[in-house]
Amino acid sequence: MGSWCWKDSSLQTSARPCSRGSARLWLGWMSLPTSAQSFPPRKRSSFEPRPSSDPRLSSVPPSDVPCPQGSTDYFLSSGDKVRFFFEKGVFDERGNFLVPPEKSINKIGHALHAHDAVFRRVTHSPKVQALARSLGLQRPVVVQSMYIFKQPHIGGEVSPHQDASFLYTEPLGRVLGMWIALEDATLENGCLWFIPGSHTSGVSRRMVRAPAGSVPGTSFLGSEPVRDNSLFVPTPVQRGALVLIHGEVVHKSECNLSDCSRHVYTFHLMEASGTIWSPEN
């Protein structure tokens, strides 16, 4: 396991290696093979500047619990769009906000990289391309991007998972997450936690889309095992750090019960050379 840190900032700062512990490279497979970064046709974006007409339909669906079809559709059809997803518990039964609207957003996704000039510039920057080349990537494709807010006091827990469960490829080992801290990520506001070495054990479950019109809109093959909490190692990082996340490493984050938000821009690259992207993702 190596340690690496990258300071970016077009979103501010300068790229340089830094000392161990600033950010950790939880990788084990990285001689995956950048040249031109491109988008699959279904990832080309349209911009939706307003949330769903019924904002309750755009609450973030839980990863392993069936949710209303409207919510599922809004989420599953967001891969080529810029959409807004709310924290749970921010609306009353009539759809009125229980918190200030600006504090209600969980994340914006999933094609900021394709449609917003600032995020496109960061995602396709020379720094990112140089890093991808240094990791041996041959033909990286950006498959999704998100701005995550982790709001003070209500920012929800992200349960233990592997990104490849949702971004499944054949063969495995072709997905890399780039997670840029726009604010300090601390133990108090919900930093990432990892199980070191867990990227070597394959994927325990994968999400698949149900046939069109089905309720619920997704199901899972396999099941998420009960994880021993003592295996998780916290990874607090300072604003500007980049954390690289192997697609199969098990990771999580806790609820944000602090007074501080934990803003992050994150995107996933897939090595397209010799890779099949599952149509069921």
Side-chain angles (χ1 to χ4, degrees):
M1 177 182 72
S3 290
W4 215 76
C5 175
W6 181 53
K7 299 287 185 182
D8 185 322
S9 190
S10 318
L11 294 157
Q12 307 170 76
T13 67
S14 59
R16 62 179 181 84
C18 62
S19 60
R20 292 178 64 86
S22 296
R24 295 174 180 170
L25 190 60
W26 302 92
L27 305 173
W29 56 285
M30 289 323 288
S31 74
L32 276 188
T34 155
S35 37
Q37 300 200 13
S38 58
F39 314 120
R42 76 182 192 82
K43 293 290 176 183
R44 300 187 187 276
S45 296
S46 64
F47 184 66
E48 297 192 0
R50 301 175 68 90
S52 161
S53 57
D54 182 349
R56 292 169 296 178
L57 295 184
S58 54
S59 296
V60 176
S63 60
D64 51 6
V65 178
C67 55
Q69 185 67 23
S71 177
T72 305
D73 288 345
Y74 187 85
F75 180 79
L76 289 177
S77 61
S78 65
D80 57 352
K81 301 175 180 68
V82 176
R83 285 185 168 175
F84 300 78
F85 300 89
F86 293 94
E87 288 288 355
K88 297 186 188 309
V90 298
F91 299 109
D92 64 20
E93 64 280 356
R94 296 184 178 180
N96 300 311
F97 284 104
L98 296 171
V99 300
E102 67 275 12
K103 298 295 186 182
S104 67
I105 298 289
N106 171 285
K107 69 177 180 179
I108 302 173
H110 289 94
L112 289 162
H113 63 278
H115 206 77
D116 182 272
V118 171
F119 292 102
R120 182 168 58 246
R121 185 166 63 248
V122 171
T123 308
H124 301 289
S125 70
K127 295 174 184 176
V128 169
Q129 295 193 43
L131 175 59
R133 281 194 298 273
S134 76
L135 295 171
L137 291 162
Q138 294 175 349
R139 216 178 121 221
V141 172
V142 185
V143 295
Q144 71 170 16
S145 56
M146 298 176 283
Y147 191 105
I148 302 173
F149 292 79
K150 203 77 163 178
Q151 301 283 8
H153 304 293
I154 63 170
E157 171 192 12
V158 178
S159 60
H161 67 284
Q162 298 165 290
D163 292 341
S165 293
F166 307 92
L167 306 173
Y168 188 80
T169 62
E170 294 180 357
L172 288 169
R174 300 303 182 101
V175 171
L176 170 67
M178 294 198 175
W179 194 94
I180 302 171
L182 304 181
E183 298 178 314
D184 292 351
T186 67
L187 291 172
E188 294 73 29
N189 72 1
C191 69
L192 294 171
W193 294 66
F194 295 91
I195 298 181
S198 57
H199 64 284
T200 62
S201 302
V203 172
S204 58
R205 67 170 185 167
R206 56 175 289 217
M207 186 196 79
V208 296
R209 290 175 183 254
S214 300
V215 179
T218 61
S219 62
F220 283 90
L221 303 177
S223 60
E224 192 68 31
V226 176
R227 309 281 184 184
D228 180 350
N229 272 331
S230 68
L231 298 177
F232 284 91
V233 177
T235 308
V237 296
Q238 294 182 337
R239 173 188 176 187
L242 168 70
V243 181
L244 301 182
I245 305 174
H246 189 286
E248 285 137 66
V249 71
V250 178
H251 58 292
K252 67 174 184 175
S253 66
E254 303 293 346
C255 296
N256 181 4
L257 302 179
S258 77
D259 294 332
C260 300
S261 58
R262 192 221 64 188
H263 287 203
V264 166
Y265 176 57
T266 182
F267 57 95
H268 287 85
L269 300 179
M270 180 191 76
E271 171 53 67
S273 179
T275 304
I276 298 174
W277 170 261
S278 173
E280 296 177 313
N281 288 338

